[in-house]
C-alpha cells in the first residue's frame, strides 16, 4: 500500500520566516507541536534547505532532528552528515559524522557544533582546502574552534599528507581570512585522463569576489569559466557563474594510447557544453523575501545530467530530480496568521528536459490557530496553480488551472498519561482540465479523519561500570509507543484520470489503516552528556478492509543502532514483507578502531540487487610503511539472476620517501583482469596548494561501492 504523502507550512509565533516540509510520510501532533516525516524529506526555510531520510521538527522553536543522508544548504555553509540537530531560527546545531564546506575550506569531524552564526567547534577531525572525500593534505585536530572567515584555533594539531602524519604541534592558529590568488589541482581521473585545474581568486571590492577558472584535461581539452559573488547594500546578494568547454574527446585513455597495430585509437568526438547560472536573494523587509534563479545548460547528455555528473559532481549529487535546473521566481510574505507564496517555475530554458511549469502558483497557508478558547485548532492550505507539463519533442502538452483547498480541525487532549489528537479534514480541488478529455471543469472532493495516540515510559537504574570500555554512568530505558488511525475516503474522481503534477494533491486515494510505532532507547551519560547506547525503532502499517493495496500488515521497518564503546559501532536496518515472507532489504555494518589500525565489515542486501560483503583492513606498520586490503564479494544473486557488482580484491602498500609517498597497488576485478599501479605523490607545502599527482585510485570503503565525488 502506498504511504500517505503530505506537506505543511508553518510560522511560529516568534518567528518571521516561513517553513515548508515535504516528505513521503508526514504526521503532526499539536500536543507538542512536533512533526514527524520519513522518506525523501525536504525542509525549506527562509534561506536554508534541508534534505534527509527522516526528521522530527518542533514547528514553534524551529528545532529539527534529522537522520540519514542529511544535506543542509545554509547561507554560510553546506553540510553533509549522517545526522544533525539544528535550529532554523538562530542557525545553530550539532552535526554528527559530518563534512562542512566553508568555501574554500572543508571541515570533517565526528562531532561539529555550530555554537553561533560565526563560531563552530569540531572534535576528532580535520581542516583542508581540498574538496576530495580523501584529501591529499589536511590539518588534523583533537579539537578545533573555527571562527568564520577569521581563524581556526587548533588543539593537538597533526599535519597529514595522505594518511601519513608529518608534523605535530600542541597548539596552532590557521588564518582563514587570506587565501592564495592562484590555486592548482593536478591529478588523474578516468573520464579526464591527466588534468590540471587552476583558479584565480580576485577580490574586486568588499562586495564583489571574482573567481576565474582555466582547466586542462588530457582527454577533453580546455575548459574555462568564472564565478562572481556579489552583495549589494540594499538589494540582496547573488551569484553569477558560467563554465564552457569545447570538448574534443579522444577515444583512448591517454593521448599516446595506440591499438595493437600501433595506430592511434580513434575517432575523436566533438561536443560543446556550457552552463550559466544566476541566483539572487533579496530580503525586502523582515516579512518579505524574494529568490530568483536563471539556469541554462547546454549538453548533449542533458537527460542523464551528464555535464553535471562529469564536471560538477557535488552539484549533481544535490540536484535530485533536476529540481535545481529550473528558472524560477519565488516571493514569500509572512502575514499575521499565515504565509503567502507567489511562485513562477519553468524548465523551458533547458530542452529537452521535460518538467512542470507553474506560471504562476499562488499559495496561502493559514497556520494552526486556536478557535477562540475552545481548544480546537484549525489550519488550511489554499493553492491556485496554472500548470503545464512540457515534453520535448513536443508530442503533448498537458495543462490545467487548479485550485486546491485543504482544511483540518484538531482537538489535542490527554487522558491520564496518554496524549490524543483527533483530526477531521477535507480537501477540495477544482480542475479546468483532466487527463480524461470528456471531464473538464471538475470539482473533486475527499474527506479524512485521524487519531494520534502516544505516550512515554521510562525507568532509571543507578548502574556504573567501565567494563570493556563501556563507560556507563547510569542507565535509562525509554519506551515510546505510538498509534495513528487514519481514514481517508476515496476521492470523488480517481487519480488515474488526472494529470499528475503534484502527488500530494493529485495522487489521492482511499486509505484505511493503523500505523504502529515502537521506539526503545537505552541511554547513559558519557562525559556529562546523554548518549543513546542502544536504539531500536520499529514501524508498521496495518491496512483495514477496503484499503487500497494489501489488506493486513504492510512491510515493517526496523532500525537498530548500538554504540557499546568509542571503538566499536553496530548498525542494522531492514524491511520485512509479511505477504511475501521475505526481507526486501537488510543492511548491517560493524566498525572497529584501534591505535594504528582499523577494520570494517559491511553487508548490503536488497532482494532485487543481491547481497554484497565488503571488508577493509588498514594497518600502519611503522612511520615508513603502511598497507591496506579491501575486498568486495557478491554473496548471492538478485531475483533476476544477476549480480550488481563484480568481485574486487585490492592491495596497497605505501612507502614514505621523505619528500614523496609511493603506493604499490594491485587491483583484481572479476571480469576485468588484474591491474598494477605504482603511484608517486609529492609532499607539497600546504600553503602552496600544489599537489603534483593525485591518482584516480580512490580509497575503498566498506559497504556499497557507489560512485564517489570528484573534482
Amino acid at each position: 500500500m502506498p504511504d500517505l504523502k503530505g506537506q505543511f507550512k508553518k510560522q511560529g509565533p516568534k518567528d518571521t520566516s516561513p517553513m515548508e516540509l515535504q516528505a513521503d510520510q508526514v504526521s503532526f501532533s499539536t500536543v507538542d507541536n512536533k512533526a514527524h516525516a520519513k522518506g525523501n524529506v525536504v525542509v525549506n526555510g527562509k534561506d536554508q534547505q534541508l534534505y534527509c531520510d527522516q526528521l522530527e521538527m518542533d514547528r514553534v522553536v524551529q528545532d529539527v532532528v534529522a537522520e540519514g543522508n542529511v544535506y543542509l544548504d545554509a547561507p554560510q555553509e553546506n553540510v553533509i552528515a549522517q545526522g544533525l540537530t539544528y535550529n532554523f531560527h538562530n542557525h545553530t546545531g550539532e552535526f554528527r559524522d559530518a563534512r562542512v564546506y566553508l568555501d574554500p575550506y572543508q571541515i570533517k569531524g565526528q562531532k561539529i557544533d555550530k555554537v553561533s552564526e560565526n563560531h563552530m567547534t569540531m572534535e576528532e577531525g580535520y581542516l583542508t582546502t581540498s574538496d576530495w572525500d580523501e584529501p591529499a593534505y589536511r590539518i588534523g585536530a583533537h579539537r578545533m574552534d573555527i571562527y568564520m572567515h577569521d581563524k581556526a584555533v587548533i588543539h593537538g594539531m597533526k599535519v597529514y599528507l595522505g594518511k601519513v602524519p608529518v608534523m605535530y604541534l600542541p597548539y596552532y592558529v590557521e588564518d582563514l581570512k587570506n587565501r592564495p590568488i592562484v590555486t592548482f589541482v593536478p591529478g588523474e581521473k578516468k573520464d579526464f585522463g591527466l588534468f590540471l585545474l587552476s583558479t584565480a581568486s580576485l577580490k574586486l571590492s568588499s562586495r564583489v569576489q571574482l573567481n576565474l577558472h582555466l582547466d586542462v584535461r588530457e582527454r577533453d581539452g580546455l575548459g574555462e569559466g568564472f564565478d562572481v559573488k556579489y552583495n549589494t547594500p540594499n538589494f540582496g546578494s547573488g551569484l553569477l557563474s558560467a563554465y564552457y568547454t569545447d570538448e574534443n574527446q579522444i577515444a583512448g585513455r591517454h593521448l599516446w594510447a595506440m591499438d595493437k597495430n600501433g595506430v592511434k585509437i580513434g575517432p575523436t568526438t566533438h561536443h560543446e557544453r556550457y552552463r550559466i547560472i544566476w541566483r539572487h536573494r533579496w530580503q525586502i523587509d523582515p516579512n518579505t523575501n524574494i529568490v530568483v534563479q536563471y539556469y541554462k545548460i547546454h549538453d548533449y547528455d542533458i537527460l542523464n545530467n551528464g555535464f553535471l555528473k562529469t564536471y560538477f559532481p557535488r552539484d549533481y549529487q544535490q540536484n535530485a530530480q533536476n529540481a535545481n535546473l529550473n528558472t524560477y521566481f519565488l516571493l514569500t510574505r509572512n502575514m499575521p496568521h499565515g504565509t503567502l507564496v507567489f511562485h513562477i517555475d519553468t524548465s523551458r530554458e533547458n530542452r529537452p528536459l521535460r518538467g512542470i511549469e507553474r506560471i504562476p502558483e499562488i499559495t496561502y497557508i493559514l497556520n494552526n490557530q486556536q478557535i477562540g478558547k475552545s481548544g480546537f485548532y484549525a489550519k488550511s492550505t489554499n493553492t491556485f496553480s496554472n500548470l503545464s507539463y512540457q515534453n520535448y519533442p513536443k508530442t503533448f502538452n498537458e495543462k490545467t488551472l487548479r485550485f486546491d483547498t485543504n482544511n483540518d480541525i484538531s482537538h489535542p487532549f490527554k487522558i491520564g498519561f496518554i496524549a490524543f489528537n483527533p483530526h477531521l479534514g477535507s480537501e477540495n480541488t477544482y480542475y479546468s482540465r483532466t487527463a480524461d478529455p470528456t471531464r473538464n471543469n471538475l470539482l473533486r472532493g475527499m474527506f479524512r479523519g485521524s487519531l494520534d495516540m502516544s505516550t512515554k515510559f521510562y525507568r532509571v537504574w543507578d548502574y556504573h561500570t567501565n567494563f570493556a570500555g563501556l563507560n556507563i554512568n547510569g542507565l535509562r530505558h525509554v519506551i515510546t509507543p505510538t498509534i495513528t488511525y487514519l481514514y481517508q475516503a476515496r476521492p470523488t474522481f480517481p487519480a488515474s484520470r488526472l494529470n499528475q503534477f503534484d502527488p500530494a494533491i493529485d495522487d489521492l486515494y482511499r486509505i484505511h489503516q493503523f500505523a504502529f510505532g515502537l521506539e526503545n532507547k537505552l541511554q547513559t551519560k558519557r562525559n556529562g552528556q546523554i548518549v543513546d547506547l542502544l536504539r531500536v525503532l520499529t514501524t508498521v502499517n496495518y491496512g483495514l478492509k477496503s484499503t487500497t493495496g494489501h489488506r493486513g500488515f504492510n512491510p515493517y521497518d526496523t532500525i537498530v543502532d548500538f554504540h557499546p564503546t568509542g571503538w566499536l559501532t553496530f548498525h542494522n536496518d531492514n524491511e520485512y514483507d509479511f505477504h511475501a515472507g521475505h526481507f526486501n532489504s537488510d543492511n548491517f555494518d560493524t566498525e572497529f578502531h584501534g591505535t594504528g589500525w582499523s577494520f570494517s565489515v559491511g553487508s548490503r542486501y536488497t532482494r532485487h540487487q543481491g547481497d554484497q560483503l565488503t571488508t577493509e583492513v588498514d594497518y600502519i606498520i611503522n612511520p615508513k610503511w603502511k598497507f591496506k586490503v579491501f575486498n568486495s564479494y557478491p554473496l548471492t544473486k538478485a531475483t533476476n539472476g544477476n549480480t550488481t557488482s563484480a568481485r574486487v580484491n585490492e592491495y596497497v602498500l605505501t612507502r614514505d620517501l621523505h619528500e614523496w609517498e609511493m603506493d604499490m597497488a594491485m587491483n583484481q576485478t572479476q571480469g576485468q583482469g588484474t591491474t598494477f599501479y605504482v603511484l608517486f605523490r609529492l609532499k607539497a607545502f600546504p600553503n602552496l596548494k600544489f599537489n603534483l599527482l593525485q591518482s584516480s585510485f580512490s580509497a575503498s570503503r566498506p559497504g556499497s561501492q557507489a560512485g564517489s565525488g570528484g573534482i
Side-chain angles (χ1 to χ4, degrees):
M1 182 186 69
D3 291 321
L4 175 64
K5 297 182 180 180
Q7 62 178 12
F8 75 92
K9 299 181 180 180
K10 53 73 65 184
Q11 176 187 5
K14 297 183 180 180
D15 179 51
T16 60
S17 60
M19 295 280 286
E20 177 183 309
L21 172 64
Q22 296 179 329
D24 293 340
Q25 301 177 58
V26 175
S27 61
F28 173 67
S29 171
T30 54
V31 175
D32 53 8
N33 282 310
K34 287 187 178 180
H36 299 266
K38 182 178 181 181
N40 300 309
V41 182
V42 181
V43 180
N44 288 294
K46 177 183 67 174
D47 52 1
Q48 303 157 91
Q49 284 186 315
L50 175 67
Y51 304 84
C52 62
D53 293 338
Q54 59 184 26
L55 173 136
E56 178 184 289
M57 173 189 288
D58 188 314
R59 66 184 216 132
V60 176
V61 299
Q62 297 191 358
D63 276 335
V64 298
V65 179
E67 294 290 339
N69 299 309
V70 179
Y71 173 69
L72 173 67
D73 185 359
Q76 293 200 62
E77 69 275 334
N78 300 118
V79 181
I80 298 174
Q82 285 302 307
L84 63 76
T85 59
Y86 187 73
N87 184 276
F88 273 77
H89 180 61
N90 56 29
H91 299 226
T92 60
E94 178 183 304
F95 313 131
R96 175 170 52 81
D97 191 11
R99 295 177 186 268
V100 178
Y101 296 92
L102 302 165
D103 186 39
Y105 297 95
Q106 176 195 165
I107 301 166
K108 184 178 187 299
Q110 297 178 6
K111 179 185 175 184
I112 300 176
D113 287 332
K114 189 172 184 188
V115 182
S116 66
E117 285 270 4
N118 299 307
H119 182 200
M120 280 187 181
T121 65
M122 179 269 289
E123 296 179 3
E124 304 301 336
Y126 61 75
L127 170 77
T128 180
T129 55
S130 170
D131 61 358
W132 293 84
D133 288 346
E134 296 292 336
Y137 143 74
R138 66 188 191 274
I139 298 177
H142 173 66
R143 173 184 166 82
M144 186 182 300
D145 286 271
I146 303 101
Y147 300 91
M148 308 291 190
H149 312 297
D150 185 12
K151 61 184 178 181
V153 180
I154 304 167
H155 302 269
M157 183 199 80
K158 291 181 181 179
V159 178
Y160 290 85
L161 294 179
K163 294 184 179 180
V164 179
V166 296
M167 182 187 297
Y168 173 80
L169 289 173
Y171 182 84
Y172 177 74
V173 178
E174 172 77 3
D175 184 6
L176 304 182
K177 298 188 294 294
N178 302 308
R179 56 184 297 181
I181 296 177
V182 180
T183 61
F184 299 95
V185 178
E188 192 268 347
K189 197 166 182 269
K190 179 180 178 181
D191 293 333
F192 301 148
L194 298 171
F195 63 80
L196 177 65
L197 312 180
S198 61
T199 301
S201 299
L202 304 172
K203 191 171 183 178
L204 303 183
S205 72
S206 61
R207 295 186 176 275
V208 180
Q209 173 77 37
L210 172 64
N211 294 331
L212 299 174
H213 305 284
L214 180 61
D215 305 328
V216 182
R217 299 175 177 90
E218 179 188 11
R219 297 193 63 214
D220 296 334
L222 288 174
E224 55 269 349
F226 65 85
D227 307 310
V228 179
K229 295 182 181 179
Y230 62 89
N231 185 9
T232 68
N234 300 313
F235 300 100
S237 59
L239 166 71
L240 177 62
S241 176
Y243 192 86
Y244 174 87
T245 179
D246 190 12
E247 279 188 354
N248 289 284
Q249 191 173 70
I250 62 175
R253 179 70 182 270
H254 294 288
L255 287 171
W256 58 83
M258 303 288 179
D259 63 17
K260 61 182 179 181
N261 297 319
V263 179
K264 187 175 181 179
I265 300 174
T268 298
T269 57
H270 172 79
H271 300 291
E272 184 183 53
R273 308 171 94 173
Y274 63 82
R275 182 181 75 163
I276 301 171
I277 306 172
W278 175 57
R279 296 192 186 105
H280 186 81
R281 185 184 302 274
W282 181 20
Q283 186 78 39
I284 300 176
D285 59 46
N287 294 316
T288 309
N289 185 62
I290 287 178
V291 180
V292 182
Q293 173 173 288
Y294 173 80
Y295 202 117
K296 173 66 176 177
I297 190 166
H298 178 77
D299 183 20
Y300 72 94
D301 195 21
I302 191 172
L303 293 176
N304 296 315
N305 271 325
F307 190 38
L308 294 183
K309 187 185 301 184
T310 305
Y311 288 87
F312 307 97
R314 193 186 302 173
D315 288 1
Y316 170 74
Q317 293 172 1
Q318 299 166 11
N319 248 336
Q321 301 176 349
N322 297 324
N324 295 328
L325 299 184
N326 288 356
T327 295
Y328 63 82
F329 173 87
L330 179 66
L331 183 146
T332 305
R333 172 72 179 178
N334 294 329
M335 307 188 75
H337 301 291
T339 305
L340 179 67
V341 180
F342 181 86
H343 187 199
I344 295 176
D345 196 346
T346 177
S347 61
R348 63 183 62 188
E349 284 294 327
N350 295 316
R351 305 294 191 193
L353 287 178
R354 45 189 275 181
I356 298 171
E357 296 194 330
R358 307 169 191 273
I359 310 177
E361 183 172 79
I362 304 171
T363 303
Y364 177 73
I365 304 102
L366 174 67
N367 296 326
N368 210 31
Q369 301 286 325
Q370 186 172 190
I371 304 173
K373 296 183 179 180
S374 63
F376 287 88
Y377 290 80
K379 63 180 179 180
S380 177
T381 301
N382 305 276
T383 304
F384 167 78
S385 308
N386 179 20
L387 301 164
S388 62
Y389 188 79
Q390 304 290 334
N391 191 37
Y392 187 88
K394 196 169 184 179
T395 55
F396 62 87
N397 186 355
E398 301 168 352
K399 61 174 62 175
T400 189
L401 295 177
R402 185 185 70 192
F403 178 74
D404 178 79
T405 177
N406 190 345
N407 303 281
D408 179 88
I409 294 179
S410 61
H411 181 58
F413 61 92
K414 292 187 81 171
I415 299 179
F417 56 87
I418 301 177
F420 296 86
N421 191 7
H423 292 258
L424 287 177
S426 67
E427 187 164 356
N428 297 280
T429 313
Y430 165 79
Y431 295 90
S432 65
R433 298 184 184 185
T434 71
D436 184 346
T438 66
R439 298 298 303 273
N440 295 326
N441 294 313
L442 172 77
L443 183 63
R444 181 204 64 183
M446 188 205 67
F447 166 82
R448 67 173 169 268
S450 66
L451 175 64
D452 300 330
M453 296 169 283
S454 65
T455 189
K456 283 190 177 183
F457 306 97
Y458 70 91
R459 184 176 180 182
V460 178
W461 291 274
D462 187 19
Y463 178 73
H464 300 263
T465 183
N466 196 30
F467 175 75
L470 291 175
N471 191 18
I472 293 177
N473 299 286
L475 287 173
R476 179 171 65 180
H477 183 202
V478 183
I479 302 175
T480 308
T482 58
I483 302 175
T484 298
Y485 168 75
L486 172 64
Y487 173 76
Q488 181 170 290
R490 183 176 289 108
T492 57
F493 192 77
S496 59
R497 296 167 66 184
L498 292 171
N499 295 321
Q500 295 299 306
F501 296 102
D502 299 292
I505 294 176
D506 304 319
D507 189 19
L508 300 182
Y509 44 84
R510 178 186 175 90
I511 299 176
H512 195 197
Q513 70 175 31
F514 279 97
F516 301 94
L518 182 63
E519 182 184 52
N520 280 271
K521 283 186 179 180
L522 192 60
Q523 300 177 318
T524 188
K525 278 191 175 183
R526 290 175 178 167
N527 300 321
Q529 306 229 344
I530 297 175
V531 296
D532 293 338
L533 184 66
L534 175 67
R535 177 177 179 264
V536 182
L537 174 64
T538 303
T539 56
V540 64
N541 293 339
Y542 183 86
L544 300 171
K545 186 178 180 180
S546 301
T547 295
T548 301
H550 285 299
R551 179 183 177 184
F553 283 104
N554 290 282
Y556 75 78
D557 297 309
T558 301
I559 298 174
V560 180
D561 287 300
F562 183 38
H563 305 276
T565 69
W567 55 267
L568 179 62
T569 301
F570 299 96
H571 171 82
N572 175 250
D573 61 82
N574 60 68
E575 180 183 276
Y576 183 79
D577 192 327
F578 281 92
H579 303 281
H582 58 64
F583 283 93
N584 293 331
S585 65
D586 189 16
N587 303 313
F588 185 82
D589 292 293
T590 304
E591 298 180 14
F592 304 88
H593 301 278
T595 302
W597 66 272
S598 66
F599 172 71
S600 304
V601 58
S603 173
R604 297 287 181 270
Y605 169 78
T606 59
R607 181 167 175 79
H608 298 294
Q609 296 180 348
D611 196 358
Q612 181 187 16
L613 175 68
T614 61
T615 62
E616 181 178 317
V617 177
D618 292 86
Y619 185 73
I620 299 175
I621 304 172
N622 56 46
K624 294 292 185 181
W625 291 93
K626 62 180 180 178
F627 76 87
K628 176 182 71 178
V629 179
F630 170 79
N631 299 99
S632 170
Y633 184 79
L635 297 174
T636 61
K637 293 185 176 181
T639 53
N640 59 9
N642 298 322
T643 56
T644 59
S645 59
R647 181 174 180 176
V648 177
N649 297 313
E650 199 169 81
Y651 310 92
V652 184
L653 182 63
T654 302
R655 166 68 177 178
D656 189 323
L657 300 176
H658 186 60
E659 292 184 354
W660 298 76
E661 276 191 339
M662 179 180 67
D663 285 345
M664 294 169 284
M666 180 177 70
N667 179 282
Q668 296 174 320
T669 302
Q670 186 178 12
Q672 300 181 24
T674 301
T675 304
F676 293 91
Y677 300 86
V678 178
L679 308 174
F680 292 88
R681 292 190 300 273
L682 178 65
K683 294 181 177 180
F685 185 70
N687 289 331
L688 190 57
K689 310 291 192 300
F690 185 89
N691 301 313
L692 185 62
L693 184 63
Q694 293 184 11
S695 166
S696 61
F697 184 81
S698 59
S700 303
R701 298 180 176 188
S704 176
Q705 295 300 295
S708 61
I711 299 163

